[in-house]
Amino acid sequence: MSNTPFPQSFLWGGAIAANQAEGAYLEGGKGLSIVDLLPTGAKRRSIMQGSVPSLTPLEGEFYPSHEAIGFYHRYREDIALFAEMGFKCLRVSIAWARIFPTGEEETPNEQGLRFYDDLFDELLKHGIEPIVTLAHFDVPVNLIEKYGSWRHRKLVGLFERYAKTVLERYKSKVKYWMTFNEINMLLHLPFLGAGLTFEEGDNVEQIKYQAAHHQLVASALAVKACHEIAPGAMIGCMLAAGSFYPFTCNPEDVYQGMEKDRESYFFIDVQSRGEYPGYAKRFFRDHNLAIAMEDGDADLLRGHTVDYIGFSYYSSRTTSTDPEVNKKMTSGNVFGSVANPYLAKSEWGWTVDPLGMRITANQLHDRYQKPLFVVENGFGAHDEVRPDGSIDDGYRIDYLKRHVAAMGEAIEDGVNILGYTCWGPIDIVSASSGEMRKRYGYIYVDRDNEGRGTGDRLKKKSFDWYKNVIATNGAEL
Ligand code: BG6
């Protein structure tokens, strides 16, 4: 195909996560997991931040992940639709609690393992490459209750066992793996990202960075296991990306922008370069944080760095040191961004910045010099179904078109990008709000915020648009 910056091998597809799509939250022997405790409504945000009222679902609350979109039962039908669009790959996550329901069993749950065997077989039957995240906002609740989740070193070994189990089982089917989804989310929504809960008087920073260390060691162990068990496969990390812009050229703003970016880069610096960066050590010193590390941790981190950098990009972020400017924060953005007067916003307050995709990809390339994989990008919007069943989501096509074009520019700039999996190619439960109303899909799911609806799947206008993008390898947007 002429006039396309995308290489022939480019992996076009979509991305979903077990907890937002599968439902069947207690079927097949599955144990409870983080997202099973997140209701819709006003309390969701504080629970995601770590104020967790109960480690069992409460009467009277609605938990959208319990049924989600029923992908657990309907995946064949959904995959057939992805195949119709020409998907080359589908990013999914394995629910840890389907494989080890309490996280601590001696032997894995065969029913859970079989489900993913069937899922991967179905994908491969259609020529769709599975891209698998080991942990997408996912910790068995028993481990939260017993150990306080990732704050405890115990989780490292339990995660390693889980990772080895699935790597061994699926090594002939899966060539692309990722360790922790949006690992930097741990700092912003610590319960969602890492199952951390807090009580009055806790040293929250200390707990978060200790948990981060444990995840980083666990990630290195998963990389090690992948390289040993499935030598032909690639395993990456996953960053919630979107570079910070200084609000002005005041050096104070510029410096703060750099610091904000480093809050996120910190994780990837360790996962990709193999050691704690100097600025992180200084941060720990300045904040009196004492991170417990075991002998051998430094060698593990150094010896087992990731093969590629997966990242999500929805929007850029903006930061200011001016208290007046800081009065205008964007809503719905967990990264604490001030409003950027040059950019439009979605209904949920997420800014739209296609050029930011090119900037972010170039910066990640310059920093790590490793292949990148855009594993999430998309436009959350409310869609209207017309009486004839059609859905005109031109606004989504517009967003995606501009972002894919920006990604193409980054490739022309010399950035090596393995593929693009847009978020939620079929509507799924929103992670941040728990709503169904915030939709990303090319495929509409008839289900509302309260869980009502037939569950039927309908093609939106964007369905044919994306199909053509893939068919022309990005030449026609
Ligand atoms: C990322 C997550 O943060 O963004 C996904 O990895 C999430 O799980 C996606 O769904 C979009 O966010 P939201 O809140 O609109 O669903």
Side-chain angles (χ1 to χ4, degrees):
M1 189 67 57
S2 58
N3 288 329
T4 176
F6 300 97
Q8 269 314 313
S9 57
F10 196 74
L11 289 165
W12 296 100
I16 58 173
N19 67 72
Q20 289 165 264
E22 288 177 5
Y25 81 118
L26 293 177
E27 287 180 52
K30 179 180 166 293
L32 278 180
S33 188
I34 292 175
V35 179
D36 297 325
L37 301 177
L38 295 182
T40 45
K43 288 184 215 135
R44 189 175 176 94
R45 180 55 71 102
S46 65
I47 299 178
M48 292 193 295
Q49 286 168 334
S51 304
V52 183
S54 162
L55 290 177
T56 48
L58 296 171
E59 280 295 314
E61 298 284 4
F62 176 62
Y63 296 90
S65 71
H66 291 187
E67 289 175 23
I69 61 156
F71 184 74
Y72 184 78
H73 293 292
R74 301 182 72 152
Y75 67 89
R76 287 195 176 84
E77 177 192 345
D78 296 338
I79 289 170
L81 288 165
F82 299 147
E84 195 183 326
M85 274 188 277
F87 275 28
K88 312 267 186 237
C89 68
L90 183 74
R91 176 180 172 229
V92 296
S93 68
I94 295 177
W96 185 355
R98 277 202 194 286
I99 310 301
F100 289 99
T102 66
E104 294 195 286
E105 289 79 0
E106 284 302 318
T107 47
N109 171 25
E110 181 56 31
Q111 262 183 294
L113 286 170
R114 215 173 314 123
F115 169 69
Y116 293 105
D117 262 322
D118 293 345
L119 177 65
F120 300 149
D121 287 344
E122 190 68 17
L123 288 168
L124 294 169
K125 187 176 101 188
H126 288 283
I128 299 175
E129 202 75 70
I131 315 278
V132 176
T133 314
L134 290 169
H136 192 124
F137 302 156
D138 212 349
V139 176
V141 167
N142 172 60
L143 301 183
I144 300 174
E145 202 163 1
K146 218 157 152 190
Y147 303 109
S149 194
W150 283 101
R151 79 181 67 199
H152 202 294
R153 180 84 193 193
K154 179 87 182 170
L155 274 270
V156 174
L158 293 172
F159 183 82
E160 185 190 14
R161 183 166 61 180
Y162 155 65
K164 281 183 168 168
T165 301
V166 294
L167 282 160
E168 194 58 63
R169 178 83 170 211
Y170 307 122
K171 64 183 175 197
S172 63
K173 302 180 183 180
V174 179
K175 292 196 211 130
Y176 297 90
W177 297 85
M178 252 171 283
T179 57
F180 292 93
N181 179 65
E182 296 191 334
I183 188 164
N184 48 326
M185 192 58 82
L186 180 158
L187 297 181
H188 306 279
L189 298 175
F191 183 66
L192 178 72
L196 299 176
T197 60
F198 303 105
E199 283 167 15
E200 200 66 32
D202 273 347
N203 183 342
V204 171
E205 289 298 288
Q206 169 71 35
I207 292 168
K208 287 199 289 194
Y209 278 99
Q210 185 64 62
H213 178 69
H214 293 151
Q215 285 201 339
L216 290 167
V217 172
S219 174
L221 285 165
V223 171
K224 179 171 186 281
C226 182
H227 290 160
E228 286 167 4
I229 295 170
M234 288 179 91
I235 183 161
C237 53
M238 189 335 194
L239 170 75
S243 300
F244 267 98
Y245 301 153
F247 190 76
T248 70
C249 54
N250 177 345
E252 298 289 339
D253 282 0
V254 177
Y255 185 78
Q256 184 163 290
M258 183 185 79
E259 277 198 313
K260 291 262 184 195
D261 275 339
R262 280 177 162 180
E263 262 175 33
S264 293
Y265 285 151
F266 154 69
F267 294 88
I268 313 304
D269 284 356
V270 179
Q271 288 175 297
S272 182
R273 294 165 159 175
E275 60 184 3
Y276 275 69
Y279 65 82
K281 292 181 189 156
R282 172 164 190 182
F283 178 85
F284 297 158
R285 271 198 315 275
D286 288 354
H287 292 80
N288 290 319
L289 305 182
I291 309 303
M293 301 191 191
E294 290 189 357
D295 286 350
D297 283 0
D299 289 342
L300 265 175
L301 297 175
R302 198 173 312 109
H304 307 286
T305 55
V306 290
D307 302 320
Y308 67 93
I309 316 290
F311 69 98
S312 60
Y313 176 84
Y314 293 90
S315 57
S316 56
R317 300 152 188 161
T318 304
T319 190
S320 170
T321 50
D322 180 343
E324 274 310 301
V325 175
N326 281 323
K327 285 182 183 157
K328 286 191 225 121
M329 303 298 282
T330 57
S331 59
N333 185 314
V334 300
F335 286 83
S337 174
V338 300
N340 183 330
Y342 299 97
L343 300 174
K345 291 185 203 128
S346 78
E347 192 187 327
W348 278 264
W350 293 27
T351 48
V352 177
D353 181 12
L355 184 54
M357 162 80 98
R358 182 176 177 185
I359 294 169
T360 298
N362 270 281
Q363 287 178 338
L364 289 172
H365 170 79
D366 290 349
R367 194 173 181 103
Y368 299 114
Q369 300 285 304
K370 286 192 181 174
L372 306 182
F373 203 142
V374 182
V375 293
E376 285 184 34
N377 172 242
F379 190 62
H382 165 64
D383 296 324
E384 219 47 83
V385 185
R386 292 180 177 148
D388 66 356
S390 65
I391 299 151
D392 183 352
D393 58 341
Y395 36 88
R396 182 169 294 110
I397 295 174
D398 180 63
Y399 175 100
L400 292 168
K401 188 185 283 194
R402 290 157 68 207
H403 283 76
V404 171
M407 182 172 60
E409 293 292 344
I411 291 175
E412 300 272 26
D413 295 335
V415 179
N416 178 6
I417 303 183
L418 299 171
Y420 174 78
T421 57
C422 55
W423 182 246
I426 182 166
D427 296 341
I428 51 180
V429 177
S430 156
S432 59
S433 73
E435 292 166 285
M436 271 307 294
R437 194 174 167 279
K438 190 180 186 195
R439 298 171 183 276
Y440 288 85
Y442 306 117
I443 301 162
Y444 184 90
V445 175
D446 181 22
R447 185 174 164 85
D448 69 12
N449 284 354
E450 285 76 40
R452 291 174 304 229
T454 59
D456 286 353
R457 277 59 170 154
L458 295 172
K459 293 176 191 170
K460 305 182 195 176
K461 189 177 179 187
S462 54
F463 186 97
D464 287 328
W465 172 79
Y466 195 47
K467 184 177 176 181
N468 190 50
V469 171
I470 298 176
T472 61
N473 198 25
E476 288 175 21
L477 297 181

